[in-house]
Amino acid sequence: MFIDRAKIIIKSGKGGDGHVSFRREMYVANGGPDGGDGGRGGDLIFEIEEGLNTLVDYRHKRKFAAENGENGGKRRCSGKSGKDLVLKIPQGTIIREVNSGRIIADMSGENKRQVILKGGRGGLGNQNFATATMQAPKYAQPGKSAKELEVLLELKVVADVGLVGFPNVGKSTLLSRVSNARPKIGNYHFTTIHPNLGVVDLEDGRGFVMADIPGLIEGAADGIGLGHDFLRHIERTKVLIHVVDGAGIEGRDPVEDIQSIQQELLKYNKEIADLPQVIAANKMDLIYDISKDDTIKRLKETFEPQGLNVFPISGVTGSGMKELLYFVADLLATLEQAPIVFAQEYFPEEELLYENLPYTVSKEDGMYVVEGPKIEKMLGYTNLDSEKGFAFFQRFLKTSGILEDLEHAGIEEGDTVRMYELQFDYYK
């Protein structure tokens, strides 16, 4: 079953709690703290699986969670890290945050695998908090909380060329004629109910991917019928081929059909309407005497001044196909070759910057101490050993107002700042 949209809830693993315990052995008096650290929670990861072309696995199951980290144990035993959860999806799947609609990841092109939610860090056991003045700490650090997010998975096919047109104009026949695709074909409306992809290989070694987009209807851009479900599959294409019934056996006017579809594209997305377009007047084998038929003449007079070349073809006999395909290949060669990949707009690990969580700034023993849920959550998200994590930490200090509060508290260059287990010297 072809499913191209799914709304699911994803959750990373919680970090295991640190343990509080003390060494207790015969002949060992006053054994020190030996509580182990908690294990790291598992990450929530999306990964492309080659050959997969549907989101049907996410139709009936809505919640997916990575494994929690185990708690620390006695005798300095660390808890086991939780297993990562890897969700397999088709190439071309876009992952959006449900409430804002912003893009978290576009799983296409070189992006084959992406960690969406990082697991929580494990908490430190009490062995880590022993000092010269506190030799028997009776506390340990809890594991960092899991992250949960509701996301929308949306499949947009990855193709260089998209075939568009009203139902029953011969798009599937054309695709099956020129590529390795074998779509279902029938002489009735809406034979195609999901996109079909095929690879077109030309004799000169060139090739491209072509998609047969299900038949559009008037009002598709307004969501009538399955309009939005169909239209989003042409958002990655670089060239559109309008397929029309040149023989008029459906009783439709091909000129009006193209104009109608252009209006639907414009209403849905102006960038799609501005894509290079070509016209394929199909079913010309059904016309007894092409020289006496004015369909091609009308199409050329109407659309060639707009820059749309018109090709009379037959999906059944193959006539005119070579000229059409080589023209499209030449057109593609003039366009950007990199696949269309949508930029990330939503960064789960940074959204906590905008959460209204409290924190405090105080001074203890000559050291500036910043604590609170906002700081704990930030440290749980951030890998300060990485360049990206360190850059995020710097932005966090600035945008959250912490630097400003430290300056109001009288901090000077070279003073030490402590945020739980993290210590650093302050410099502007």
Side-chain angles (χ1 to χ4, degrees):
M1 180 182 293
F2 180 78
I3 301 293
D4 58 3
R5 283 167 67 89
K7 190 182 293 184
I8 61 174
I9 296 172
I10 57 175
K11 187 177 182 179
S12 62
K14 175 188 177 298
D17 297 334
H19 188 71
V20 176
S21 61
F22 297 90
R23 187 180 177 191
R24 293 289 183 265
E25 294 182 34
M26 189 178 294
Y27 308 119
V28 178
N30 302 319
D34 69 350
D37 302 338
R40 178 188 64 83
D43 296 338
L44 196 292
I45 302 168
F46 280 91
E47 184 176 81
I48 290 176
E49 181 168 310
E50 300 297 337
L52 191 64
N53 63 358
T54 177
L55 295 171
V56 69
D57 291 343
Y58 306 99
R59 186 182 187 193
H60 299 296
K61 184 178 179 182
R62 288 206 66 229
K63 294 185 177 181
F64 298 85
E67 192 174 73
N68 293 333
E70 291 184 356
N71 296 335
K74 299 178 180 180
R75 300 180 181 178
R76 301 177 182 268
C77 291
S78 296
K80 182 181 177 182
S81 293
K83 292 181 180 178
D84 297 337
L85 179 61
V86 180
L87 301 180
K88 303 290 188 177
I89 53 176
Q91 179 169 269
T93 302
I94 288 179
I95 305 167
R96 296 183 186 271
E97 195 275 326
V98 164
N99 294 323
S100 66
R102 289 182 289 165
I103 294 173
I104 300 172
D106 182 354
M107 304 301 293
S108 56
E110 298 299 318
N111 190 21
K112 306 291 186 183
R113 178 185 173 96
Q114 183 167 334
V115 176
I116 302 299
L117 295 178
K118 289 184 176 295
R121 286 184 182 178
L124 298 176
N126 69 331
Q127 62 172 318
N128 296 278
F129 299 101
T131 65
T133 57
M134 176 65 73
Q135 297 183 13
K138 297 180 180 179
Y139 60 88
Q141 189 181 50
K144 304 304 179 184
S145 61
K147 296 96 184 177
E148 185 173 290
L149 199 61
E150 187 173 18
V151 298
L152 174 67
L153 306 181
E154 191 175 65
L155 176 60
K156 299 177 188 287
V157 299
V158 180
D160 301 303
V161 178
L163 302 176
V164 296
F166 279 86
N168 208 30
V169 294
K171 297 187 299 298
S172 297
T173 302
L174 190 159
L175 182 67
S176 66
R177 179 87 192 189
V178 302
S179 75
N180 58 354
R182 293 296 176 264
K184 180 181 178 183
I185 299 171
N187 188 28
Y188 49 93
H189 289 177
F190 293 108
T191 303
T192 304
I193 57 175
H194 61 80
N196 292 297
L197 294 178
V199 177
V200 178
D201 291 315
L202 301 181
E203 294 176 359
D204 62 3
R206 291 184 294 172
F208 52 85
V209 178
M210 180 181 286
D212 163 21
I213 309 301
L216 300 179
I217 61 175
E218 292 183 58
D222 298 320
I224 295 176
L226 296 176
H228 287 172
D229 294 337
F230 293 166
L231 283 164
R232 71 167 164 271
H233 288 293
I234 57 178
E235 291 185 3
R236 295 188 194 273
T237 57
K238 301 172 185 176
V239 173
L240 296 179
I241 298 179
H242 288 273
V243 183
V244 293
D245 176 9
I249 62 173
E250 290 288 314
R252 305 186 61 92
D253 180 6
V255 173
E256 292 180 0
D257 280 358
I258 294 173
Q259 291 172 337
S260 295
I261 289 177
Q262 286 178 327
Q263 287 301 310
E264 294 301 323
L265 298 177
L266 185 62
K267 288 166 64 178
Y268 179 74
N269 186 329
K270 185 178 184 301
E271 291 183 5
I272 295 177
D274 290 338
L275 290 174
Q277 299 174 29
V278 180
I279 296 172
N282 194 22
K283 304 186 181 181
M284 300 308 292
D285 58 293
L286 299 179
I287 297 177
Y288 179 73
D289 189 348
I290 294 181
S291 64
K292 296 181 179 180
D293 186 86
D294 67 346
T295 300
I296 300 300
K297 180 181 178 182
R298 288 177 57 233
L299 287 169
K300 288 178 176 290
E301 290 177 348
T302 304
F303 296 107
E304 287 194 344
Q306 302 176 24
L308 279 68
N309 288 66
V310 179
F311 293 86
I313 66 166
S314 169
V316 174
T317 68
S319 66
M321 289 293 193
K322 184 174 182 179
E323 293 79 4
L324 171 65
L325 296 179
Y326 275 86
F327 178 85
V328 170
D330 292 341
L331 185 57
L332 286 170
T334 66
L335 305 176
E336 175 65 44
Q337 296 304 305
I340 297 173
V341 178
F342 296 94
Q344 185 172 1
E345 302 167 336
Y346 185 99
F347 299 83
E349 71 276 13
E350 296 189 15
E351 286 301 309
L352 64 100
L353 286 173
Y354 308 103
E355 292 185 7
N356 189 24
L357 296 176
Y359 66 88
T360 60
V361 176
S362 60
K363 191 173 182 180
E364 300 176 8
D365 301 326
M367 183 182 300
Y368 290 85
V369 180
V370 186
E371 295 179 323
K374 193 178 189 79
I375 308 305
E376 280 195 295
K377 197 167 185 182
M378 181 276 297
L379 293 175
Y381 269 89
T382 312
N383 177 14
L384 295 176
D385 295 330
S386 71
E387 182 178 347
K388 181 180 178 182
F390 185 71
F392 164 66
F393 175 67
Q394 291 179 310
R395 290 198 305 274
F396 171 80
L397 294 179
K398 183 177 180 180
T399 59
S400 63
I402 292 175
L403 289 182
E404 186 177 347
D405 288 344
L406 286 169
E407 291 173 356
H408 288 161
I411 196 170
E412 296 182 357
E413 289 199 6
D415 288 344
T416 300
V417 179
R418 176 167 64 83
M419 296 180 174
Y420 296 98
E421 72 271 18
L422 174 67
Q423 291 189 17
F424 60 94
D425 293 333
Y426 170 78
Y427 291 99
K428 287 188 176 181

